[in-house]
């Protein structure tokens, strides 16, 4: 349903049952899948690839060029999966030649005023609450939740099933299954409620708790703790995922929580 007050470039590839409300602007080199709804005053620029059954609310801007002084006009993309909800005034920038694309997975919820910068990679079922700001080259794994008004430093990696508290300044990597908060960003526990919602058993959750007790609460540094976990805790996929995340961290993982003496 193409409103006469919307502009759709003749070279854009729009599925037949996409709903386009008035005052939408869709440029060339855009592809939009079946069942997607695009609210009024949305701007979709060159390089956007939008999946099926998405909802894009008024004022959103998709695939604007990166806010990166190194960007030199290269042809890059924004890829958005299926069943993604993009609320009012969200901005998602194209990639640069560093990665060539910015990616948002399936079933994500991006609340109002979220900004996703160039070359970010979001997995499936990610939730970014209101006014989250992601700098460039950030990776967020499946089922992670970032609280409102949080700012994430470039090149940070946030692991799956993790939860970051609202208003956080995230300058270190957040390992999977954890809750993060305070300033500087710190470990505040395991995301037990989120894991139960995703079907993790009490046995699995207790094991993850034990891994993080050994990592953060036994007085060892990170290297000592990971060596101890690898040598003394049973091998399973959750343990190995945590160890692999730490081993591949580029910025270092968040610290354990320490009380500040008054």
């Amino acid at each position: 349903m193409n409103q006469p007050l919307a502009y759709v470039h003749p070279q854009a590839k729009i599925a037949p049952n996409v709903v386009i409300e008035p005052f939408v602007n869709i440029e060339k080199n855009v592809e939009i899948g079946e069942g997607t709804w695009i609210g009024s005053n949305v701007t979709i620029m060159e390089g956007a690839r939008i999946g099926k059954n998405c909802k894009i609310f008024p004022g959103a801007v998709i695939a604007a060029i990166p806010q990166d002084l190194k960007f030199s006009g290269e042809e890059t993309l924004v890829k958005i999966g299926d069943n993604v909800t993009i609320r009012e005034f969200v901005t998602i920038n194209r990639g640069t030649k560093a990665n060539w694309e910015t990616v948002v997975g399936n079933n994500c919820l991006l609340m109002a005023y979220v900004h996703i910068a160039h070359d970010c990679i979001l997995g499936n079922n990610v939730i970014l609450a209101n006014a989250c700001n992601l700098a460039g080259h950030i990776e967020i794994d499946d089922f992670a939740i970032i609280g409102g008004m949080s700012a994430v430093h470039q090149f940070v990696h946030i692991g799956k099933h993790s939860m970051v508290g609202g208003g956080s300044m995230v300058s270190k990597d957040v390992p999977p299954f954890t809750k993060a908060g305070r300033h500087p960003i710190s470990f505040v526990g395991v995301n037990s409620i989120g894991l139960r919602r995703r079907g993790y058993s009490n046995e699995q959750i207790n094991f993850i708790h034990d891994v993080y007790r050994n990592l953060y609460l036994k007085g060892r540094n990170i290297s000592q703790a990971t060596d101890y976990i690898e040598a003394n805790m049973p091998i399973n996929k959750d343990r190995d995922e945590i160890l692999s995340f730490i081993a591949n961290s580029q910025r270092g993982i968040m610290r354990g929580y320490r009380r500040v003496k008054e």
Side-chain angles (χ1 to χ4, degrees), residues 26-247:
I26 299 176
E27 298 184 358
K28 65 180 180 180
N29 189 23
V30 168
E31 299 178 12
I32 302 176
E34 299 175 0
T36 289
W37 173 80
I38 303 172
S40 60
N41 296 295
V42 169
T43 299
I44 302 177
M45 306 182 79
E46 292 185 41
R49 303 288 184 267
I50 299 171
K52 300 177 182 178
N53 301 314
C54 296
K55 291 180 172 61
I56 305 177
F57 282 72
V61 179
I62 311 298
I65 63 171
Q67 299 176 104
D68 183 345
L69 295 178
K70 298 185 297 298
F71 180 72
S72 56
E74 57 266 31
E75 292 188 16
T76 56
L77 301 176
V78 164
K79 293 182 178 179
I80 296 171
D82 300 334
N83 307 305
V84 174
T85 298
I86 300 173
R87 294 303 303 253
E88 294 84 355
F89 301 102
V90 168
T91 55
I92 307 175
N93 290 168
R94 281 164 45 192
T96 69
K97 59 187 174 184
N99 196 49
W100 297 103
E101 60 187 20
T102 301
V103 178
V104 176
N106 300 324
N107 308 307
C108 293
L109 170 58
L110 311 178
M111 297 187 193
Y113 295 99
V114 161
H115 172 67
I116 300 176
H118 59 90
D119 302 295
C120 289
I121 307 293
L122 276 62
N124 300 323
N125 302 285
V126 170
I127 298 175
L128 303 183
N130 296 292
C132 279
N133 284 272
L134 306 186
H137 306 279
I138 288 165
E139 185 174 356
I140 301 180
D141 295 336
D142 297 350
F143 292 102
I145 300 173
I146 315 298
M149 302 291 288
S150 294
V152 187
H153 195 282
Q154 59 261 38
F155 295 100
V156 158
H157 185 186
I158 296 176
K160 72 177 187 179
H161 298 289
S162 59
M163 184 171 185
V164 176
S168 295
M169 304 293 289
V170 187
S171 58
K172 294 290 186 181
D173 293 349
V174 177
F177 317 118
T178 61
K179 293 185 294 185
R182 304 188 174 97
H183 181 75
I185 194 73
S186 304
F187 171 79
V188 295
V190 170
N191 185 19
S192 302
I193 293 174
L195 292 174
R196 288 192 183 95
R197 289 172 177 168
R198 302 279 76 80
Y200 279 70
S201 67
N202 286 336
E203 183 181 10
Q204 288 174 292
I205 294 169
N206 288 336
F207 181 83
I208 291 168
H209 272 289
D210 286 340
V211 172
Y212 282 110
R213 286 188 191 101
N214 281 298
L215 184 65
Y216 283 119
L217 303 178
K218 299 294 186 180
R220 305 180 181 99
N221 64 35
I222 297 298
S223 179
Q224 292 168 338
T226 53
D227 288 345
Y228 178 88
I229 293 165
E230 190 166 9
N232 293 281
M233 298 196 70
I235 296 172
N236 73 22
K237 63 181 181 63
D238 296 327
R239 186 208 76 159
D240 290 348
E241 179 158 3
I242 294 167
L243 292 176
S244 176
F245 184 98
I246 296 168

Side-chain angles (χ1 to χ4, degrees), residues 2-23:
N2 188 357
Q3 287 282 346
L5 294 177
Y7 171 75
V8 180
H9 194 282
Q11 294 179 12
K13 298 179 180 178
I14 313 295
N17 61 348
V18 170
V19 175
I20 300 173
E21 301 289 1
F23 311 114

